[in-house]
């Protein structure tokens, strides 16, 4: 039992450090991608190709003065960003990163928790993300922050519905909510994307809305709301809000890769004849490549599409995505039963 | 499913929570300790809320559009209904056409309510 706990603590720490590192470097890659799309060079002063830029940004945020408006609710003002970060780091617990590693006859699964309601766990944690933003926006007692927070919560809960509905058709096919089972069923090239393209499309749009990424970044829409819910934040509290967005991006990319793109599986795996542990490492890099692709997609769309208006956002969420997801459930049901 | 699931499966989630909580706590404390102490000057103007440089008018805890509350209430309703779908979806292959038609009935009621709220103008923003 003690070894079990120690192993889990180790695995959690590794995943935590990995997601933070990825989040840090996503900020650099985001700026590089933006520069590439706009025919600029991007940050290149700190280290070779600007590789030390995220480090410089992080250290800067640490040394900044902690500002708090005198009318703010002090406890909630600190709780807001902490909660956002905490929740962003919790989601990765159920993602299977690769096949189990076998060392000295013992099996070490590369998944923190293999629970049978993995998808429901993700939804539960993601829906708690609303609190971090709402608490932060309300506590700073700023009108822009409040408007941003209200918009954010409204948008996140609306798109959660379509997200939940789009996964139902997947659950009908796989008969399981455990992410491990879902990945195992996609062995080789039987990826769910080929059977559920519509569900994936709905899930992708909702993932953009849930992470508050452009074209759904109305909560922090700088042209009308200054900085949205984090207008009054500075130092690492602001850093937490910004980092949490990138951690969420990373995790939602991992979830999409796991649910629809076969997770750590790749075609022609049997023909290579690799040993178990090598396969685990290769599988992890395969999953990581898929996540990187989604990360690039998030950035590509951010620098390509303009922002929605709030009524358009709500109309898309309620009047287009929800009926579409229900239609998808019906079609999936009929196809499964007829076959 | 040949594997049995026990409540002990959730222990790793507690571990993850502890690790994440520790990270957040340490970072928050660290930034509080090392963050720019030298310049801690408190003035009224500085600690005012930001309002694009003009005089702050009143408090931000004011009543806002009822539309947002309506969305929140509808979310609670629909989210509960969506959770009802999950057990059905998991057992879909064993319930067959029977289960499908029974769910269609449920879906019919849900869609009727959905149509009703759209016609009532719950999503009309102006």
């Amino acid at each position: 039992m003690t070894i079990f706990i120690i192993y889990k603590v180790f695995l959690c720490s590794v995943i935590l450090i990995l997601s933070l590192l990825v989040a840090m470097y996503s900020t650099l890659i985001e700026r590089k991608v933006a520069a590439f799309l706009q025919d600029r060079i991007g940050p290149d002063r700190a280290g070779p190709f600007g590789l030390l830029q995220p480090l410089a940004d992080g250290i800067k945020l640490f040394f900044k003065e902690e500002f708090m408006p005198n009318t703010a609710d002090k406890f909630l003002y600190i709780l807001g960003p902490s909660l956002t970060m905490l929740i962003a780091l919790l989601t990765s617990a159920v993602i299977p990163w690769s096949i189990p590693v076998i060392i000295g006859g013992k099996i070490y699964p590369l998944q923190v928790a293999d629970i049978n309601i993995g998808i429901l766990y993700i939804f539960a944690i993601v829906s708690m993300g609303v609190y971090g933003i709402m608490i932060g926006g309300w506590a700073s007692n700023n009108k822009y922050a409040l408007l941003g927070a209200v918009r954010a919560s409204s948008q996140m809960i609306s798109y959660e519905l379509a997200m939940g509905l789009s996964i139902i058709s997947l659950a009908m096919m796989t008969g399981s909510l455990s992410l491990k089972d879902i990945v195992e069923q996609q062995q080789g090239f039987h990826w769910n994307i080929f059977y559920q393209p519509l569900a994936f499309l709905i899930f992708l749009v909702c993932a953009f809305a849930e992470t508050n990424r452009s074209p759904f970044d109305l909560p922090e829409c700088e042209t009308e709301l200054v900085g949205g819910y984090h207008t009054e934040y500075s130092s690492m509290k602001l850093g937490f809000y910004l980092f949490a967005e990138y951690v969420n991006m990373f995790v939602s990319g991992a979830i999409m890769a796991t649910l629809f793109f076969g997770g750590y599986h790749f075609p022609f795996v049997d023909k290579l004849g690799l040993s178990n542990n090598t396969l685990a490492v290769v599988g992890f890099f395969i999953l990581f490549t898929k996540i990187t692709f989604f990360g690039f997609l998030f950035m590509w769309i951010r620098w390509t599409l303009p922002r929605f208006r709030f009524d358009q956002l709500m109309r898309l969420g309620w009047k287009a995505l929800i009926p579409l997801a229900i239609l998808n459930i019906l079609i999936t049901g009929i196809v499964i039963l007829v076959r | 499913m040949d594997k049995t699931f026990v409540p002990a499966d959730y222990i790793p989630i507690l571990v993850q929570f502890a690790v994440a909580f520790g990270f957040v706590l340490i970072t928050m404390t660290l930034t509080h300790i090392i963050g720019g102490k030298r310049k801690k000057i408190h003035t009224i103007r500085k600690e005012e809320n930001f309002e694009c440089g003009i005089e702050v008018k009143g408090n931000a805890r004011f009543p806002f559009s009822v539309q947002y509350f309506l969305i929140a209430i509808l979310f609670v309703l629909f989210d509960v209904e969506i959770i009802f779908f999950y057990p059905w979806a998991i057992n879909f292959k064993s319930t067959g056409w029977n289960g499908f038609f029974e769910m269609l009935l449920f879906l019919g009621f849900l869609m009727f309510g959905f149509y009703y709220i759209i016609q009532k103008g719950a999503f009309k923003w102006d």
Side-chain angles (χ1 to χ4, degrees):
Chain A
M1 195 63 193
T2 331
I3 294 168
F4 174 75
I5 296 283
I6 289 170
Y7 170 65
K8 289 295 180 195
V9 170
F10 172 72
L11 191 65
C12 288
S13 312
V14 169
I15 290 172
L16 188 109
I17 290 166
L18 182 79
S19 24
L20 288 172
L21 267 180
V22 170
M24 262 174 84
Y25 274 89
S26 304
T27 58
L28 175 68
I29 296 166
E30 168 109 59
R31 290 166 74 180
K32 282 282 184 192
V33 168
F36 169 68
L37 291 174
Q38 296 169 348
D39 211 4
R40 295 184 281 118
I41 296 172
D44 68 337
R45 295 289 144 158
F49 310 108
L51 277 177
L52 299 177
Q53 186 70 40
L55 216 61
D57 285 341
I59 291 169
K60 182 201 80 177
L61 283 172
F62 263 117
F63 283 101
K64 280 277 177 181
E65 183 189 349
E66 278 187 307
F67 168 77
M68 192 189 285
N70 51 8
T71 48
D73 188 317
K74 291 192 171 48
F75 174 66
L76 293 180
Y77 184 80
I78 297 169
L79 184 69
S82 312
L83 205 61
T84 308
M85 195 66 197
L86 183 67
I87 285 161
L89 292 173
L90 277 182
T91 329
S92 56
V94 290
I95 295 167
W97 296 97
S98 191
I99 56 170
V101 178
I102 300 170
I103 301 169
K106 280 209 172 118
I107 298 170
Y108 293 99
L110 291 182
Q111 183 187 20
V112 175
D114 181 18
I115 50 176
N116 56 352
I117 52 158
I119 292 177
L120 288 184
Y121 170 81
I122 289 173
F123 281 131
I125 298 294
V126 164
S127 62
M128 269 164 56
V130 176
Y131 287 107
I133 291 174
M134 193 69 206
I135 287 173
W138 187 83
S140 40
N141 200 356
N142 179 313
K143 281 140 201 160
Y144 297 112
L146 181 77
L147 285 175
V150 168
R151 276 188 189 182
S153 50
S154 202
Q155 164 185 339
M156 283 165 90
I157 58 178
S158 297
Y159 279 76
E160 218 172 275
L161 296 177
M163 202 178 207
L165 280 171
S166 71
I167 293 301
I168 287 173
S169 54
L170 201 69
M172 282 158 76
M173 264 181 56
T174 55
S176 172
L177 288 180
S178 154
L179 290 177
K180 183 102 191 150
D181 285 354
I182 292 176
V183 172
E184 286 310 323
Q185 286 176 11
Q186 301 178 63
Q187 193 106 34
F189 213 44
H190 298 288
W191 295 357
N192 285 331
I193 174 77
F194 302 122
Y195 306 104
Q196 290 289 345
L198 190 59
F200 170 68
L201 203 66
I202 296 168
F203 194 87
L204 183 72
V205 173
C206 293
F208 275 86
E210 288 288 323
T211 49
N212 294 328
R213 290 286 300 186
S214 187
F216 303 112
D217 62 344
L218 286 115
E220 44 194 309
C221 166
E222 61 269 21
T223 45
E224 355 176 323
L225 292 181
V226 191
Y229 55 89
H230 51 59
T231 304
E232 292 288 359
Y233 279 93
S234 70
S235 87
M236 209 54 203
K237 298 199 198 77
L238 173 68
F240 266 9
Y241 271 129
L242 302 183
F243 266 155
E245 182 182 319
Y246 285 96
V247 174
N248 279 333
M249 241 168 79
F250 172 64
V251 172
S252 59
I255 292 168
M256 280 190 280
T258 305
L259 290 180
F260 292 99
F261 285 83
Y264 45 78
H265 287 306
F266 54 100
F268 315 117
V269 60
D270 318 325
K271 288 176 188 146
L272 292 171
L274 296 170
S275 73
N276 183 70
N277 286 359
T278 328
L279 206 60
V281 174
V282 173
F284 175 75
F285 280 105
I286 291 286
L287 177 61
F288 207 77
T289 314
K290 288 171 187 170
I291 296 170
T292 313
F293 167 73
F294 281 115
F296 178 69
L297 189 69
F298 271 100
M299 290 162 193
W300 189 7
I301 288 179
R302 169 165 180 189
W303 296 102
T304 310
L305 294 180
R307 193 178 286 131
F308 277 94
R309 225 170 46 217
F310 197 73
D311 60 323
Q312 293 170 333
L313 174 91
M314 282 295 154
R315 199 165 61 226
L316 177 69
W318 285 89
K319 288 188 188 167
L321 291 183
I322 289 179
L324 215 59
I326 286 174
L327 191 72
N328 193 33
I329 291 173
L330 292 181
I331 294 170
T332 310
I334 291 170
V335 168
I336 288 178
L337 288 175
V338 166
R339 256 208 318 206
Chain B
M1 240 178 282
D2 47 351
K3 198 178 162 212
T4 49
F5 289 93
V6 285
D9 289 342
Y10 292 85
I11 290 174
I13 287 181
L14 290 181
V15 172
Q16 173 112 358
F17 181 81
V19 171
F21 190 75
F23 166 75
V24 169
L25 207 65
I26 289 168
T27 317
M28 274 301 193
T29 321
L30 201 66
T31 181
H32 186 70
I33 292 167
I34 66 175
K37 274 229 170 61
R38 216 153 34 86
K39 295 179 268 176
K40 272 240 157 85
I41 304 162
H42 299 275
T43 63
I44 298 169
R45 278 283 174 258
K46 183 183 168 191
E47 299 205 331
E48 247 175 19
N49 280 108
F50 178 77
E51 212 147 288
C52 295
I54 56 165
E55 204 76 13
V56 176
K57 287 243 164 62
N59 200 300
R61 273 97 205 228
F62 55 85
F64 48 86
S65 169
V66 73
Q67 204 79 29
Y68 292 107
F69 292 96
L70 196 61
I71 295 280
I73 292 168
L74 290 177
F75 162 73
V76 174
L77 284 179
F78 275 82
D79 209 37
V80 170
E81 316 255 328
I82 286 170
I83 291 303
F84 285 147
F85 274 102
Y86 274 91
W88 169 77
I90 296 299
N91 299 312
F92 181 70
K93 280 174 185 161
S94 53
T95 52
W97 282 108
N98 234 345
F100 183 73
F101 284 120
E102 273 160 16
M103 209 55 193
L104 219 53
L105 203 66
F106 178 74
L107 205 60
F109 282 120
L110 182 66
M111 284 291 97
F112 179 72
F114 190 62
Y115 178 74
Y116 177 76
I117 55 168
I118 286 179
Q119 289 305 97
K120 269 282 181 189
F123 308 118
K124 277 212 181 82
W125 296 75
D126 43 9

